[in-house]
Every structure is written in C-alpha cells, then in structure tokens.
Amino acid sequence: MPVLDAEATLADAVAAALDQDYPGEVEVVIAHGPSRDGTAAVLAHLTADPRVRVVPNPPGGTAAGLNAAIAASRGEVAARCDAQSRFPRHYLRRAVEILAETGADNVGGTQAAVGTTFWSRAVAVAQTTFLGVGDARYRTGGTAGAVDTVYLGVFRRAALDRVGGFDESQVRNQDYELNWRLRESGGTVYFHPDLAVAYTPRSGLRPLWRQYFEYGTWKRVMLRKHPRSLRWRQLAAPGLIAGLLWSLVMLLTPWPWAAAIVPGAYLTALLGTTSVEGIRRRDPAALALPVVLSTMHFAWGLGFLAGRSR
C-alpha cells in the first residue's frame, strides 16, 4: 500500500486488508511517502499489529512506493492496496483461487466507487457510466474474462519480477502500463466481478480536475512508450476537445449552423445520461453529472493534448 497524506482513510483501508477470511498468512506492507498531515501518527498506531510493516518511500511516487513495498514483502502473491479503498472479506481468498483456476499473472475486479458527500457521490456515479469511462470493465463491471487492465490487482510475485515491477517514471497510469507489459510478455490479466473493491472518489471539482488532468497527461506519456496499447476510449476526451475547436472554426465558414453539431450532441449525451442515472440511482447527486462529467472530460482531454509531464 503506497501512502501519502492519507490520515483520513488509512486506518479503515488497513483494517479491511487484515480482516480477511483467507486461510493463509497475510502481511500488510505500507510504503510511506513524505506526508504533511497526520499519517505518521496513524501508522505508529497501526504498526502495533505485527502483521503491519512500514517501509520508507522518499520520492513519494505511487510506483516507487509499490516497488518498495513489494520488495519488502515475503509472499508469493502481492495484492496492491490503496489507502482510499476497502477490501471485502473474501477478496484475498477469491483472488488466490482465481489465480490458481485461470493461471493468470494478475487478477482484479471492479473499482466500486462509493461517495460519502454530495460531490463524491456525483463523481462515483460518473465513474460508473459509459459516458464517463467508456467500456472499461473495471469501472462498469461485466462478466469474468481476460481484459487489458483491472482495478488494483493481485499479482503472482514471479510475474512482477519477470517484467521488472512498476515503471517509476510513470506518475499516473502505472497499473495500465504494467498490465500492458505483463500481457506483452505472454501473461494474462483477468477480470472477475467477485473482486469488487469499495473506493472513495475525490470530493470536489478542483481535486477531480487535477486528478483527471494528470490521467490524461500520463496516458500520453505511456502511449509514447507503448503505442499499440491505445484503446478507443482513450481518444474520446481529446476528440471532444478537437470537435469543439472545429465548431469554433465552422462559425467563420458559410455553414455556421454546423458549429452546433458537436456541442449539441455532447449536451444531449450529458442530459440523457443525467436523466437515466437520476431515475436509476434515486440520488440527488446525479443531478450534478453534467458538471462532473464535463470536468472529467475536459481535464483528461486537455491533459492528454497539452499537459506537461513532470
């Protein structure tokens, strides 16, 4: 579990990871970055349990923390944890069973977003809609089978060693990049709906914008390294930006009416999704979908087209 400024959610995440019905030995290795909140005090309390260990992660990056924690772990199976996620009790047991049944290198399930405030509930709805995430099975669910990536992941340690672990130059998209290399090396990444993990999304538009801008930026970086990994859904947000710019150009042509095509289609999609999800979810937070979805799309698209990787 890579941890940075996770005071609010860390204890619950570790408690869930330890409260497993897995019949074998379990350890939790936490890679702690340079936190500026009370994370260190929470860790001091958690390490009273001998199953919990902390290793330093001076760079603070997610990939560096994951590699440090995996290197310090002792098991033949490594389950990636997140300080904002909570494993269900059967998670490790079922993951190891599925690893054995399928022969996969990595198994995982759905990122089951669960909001706790108005805005985080709205983000949770957006992150489970087709308009928000396309055909990503780890977001929307689906049947068991081989996929391009999964949420978090439970790995064979030998498979991680085979491909060299996580790429520490990737600030975001570490999971997708690693799963691409696993599949390129002949391994399988396997999705199973039994492995859904509760996750608390960002609460507020500013952190959501920052998160998705970085997603878009680092997806472009990853595609430079592995251009064959491109999927259609990764071009949807940049395509929207390009379409809106085309609409501005059309205002200067003899066919200014064409300028309304892309904005009109996008607005229709936003309002249609809001109506469907509002009825289906019966949550007032769904009414904020036009704002949340457009924030996700524009941030991701602009990050992909214009973001500068650090």
Side-chain angles (χ1 to χ4, degrees):
M1 181 186 295
V3 167
L4 182 69
D5 295 331
E7 176 186 12
T9 59
L10 177 58
D12 288 342
V14 172
L18 291 173
D19 185 30
Q20 295 290 303
D21 62 11
Y22 178 68
E25 183 181 1
V26 174
E27 63 176 353
V28 177
V29 186
I30 301 170
H32 185 209
S35 293
R36 293 167 293 181
D37 63 359
T39 298
V42 177
L43 287 172
H45 174 73
L46 292 173
T47 50
D49 189 318
R51 296 172 294 174
V52 179
R53 289 187 292 132
V54 178
V55 297
N57 177 25
T62 300
L66 287 166
N67 285 339
I70 291 166
S73 67
R74 297 184 291 260
E76 295 180 9
V77 173
R80 176 177 175 177
C81 305
D82 188 282
Q84 290 182 285
S85 61
R86 295 168 300 284
F87 289 169
R89 287 200 74 235
H90 66 270
Y91 185 77
L92 294 180
R93 174 178 55 79
R94 282 296 291 135
V96 173
E97 289 172 354
I98 295 166
L99 279 174
E101 293 165 3
T102 63
D105 284 340
N106 178 22
V107 301
T110 307
Q111 183 181 24
V114 180
T116 56
T117 66
F118 178 87
W119 284 109
S120 66
R121 296 202 317 273
V123 174
V125 174
Q127 290 180 341
T128 55
T129 64
F130 180 81
L131 187 60
V133 295
D135 63 349
R137 211 179 306 181
Y138 77 94
R139 294 278 200 182
T140 59
T143 58
V147 291
D148 52 355
T149 194
V150 291
Y151 179 53
L152 298 178
V154 179
F155 303 84
R156 295 180 189 273
R157 175 70 171 272
L160 291 172
D161 293 341
R162 185 179 77 239
V163 299
F166 289 86
D167 182 349
E168 296 185 15
S169 70
Q170 286 283 143
V171 172
R172 298 282 190 182
N173 277 288
Q174 309 95 346
D175 303 56
Y176 197 99
E177 195 277 338
L178 173 63
N179 285 324
W180 170 257
R181 284 186 285 119
L182 285 174
R183 293 187 291 118
E184 285 290 282
S185 70
T188 299
V189 177
Y190 198 86
F191 171 87
H192 200 290
D194 286 356
L195 301 180
V197 177
Y199 164 82
T200 303
R202 298 295 193 275
S203 182
L205 296 180
R206 181 175 293 181
L208 182 67
W209 177 279
R210 187 182 308 116
Q211 179 186 29
Y212 272 76
F213 190 88
E214 290 191 356
Y215 281 167
T217 299
W218 289 95
K219 176 58 69 175
R220 188 189 68 243
V221 173
M222 188 246 171
L223 288 174
R224 285 179 184 160
K225 300 176 184 177
H226 311 292
R228 290 189 299 108
S229 70
L230 180 66
R231 296 293 180 269
W232 74 265
R233 66 176 181 267
Q234 296 156 6
L235 293 178
L240 171 64
I241 302 294
L244 292 174
L245 291 176
W246 173 83
S247 297
L248 292 175
V249 172
M250 292 305 294
L251 289 173
L252 306 176
T253 71
W255 309 280
W257 55 266
I261 294 175
V262 174
Y266 184 57
L267 182 60
T268 299
L270 287 175
L271 295 179
T273 299
T274 300
S275 299
V276 170
E277 296 301 328
I279 294 171
R280 188 163 74 91
R281 312 270 182 151
R282 298 183 182 278
D283 185 343
L287 297 176
L289 279 180
V291 177
V292 172
L293 285 168
S294 58
T295 298
M296 292 164 55
H297 295 154
F298 282 98
W300 207 103
L302 289 172
F304 187 91
L305 294 171
R308 298 184 61 186
S309 56
R310 294 187 298 277

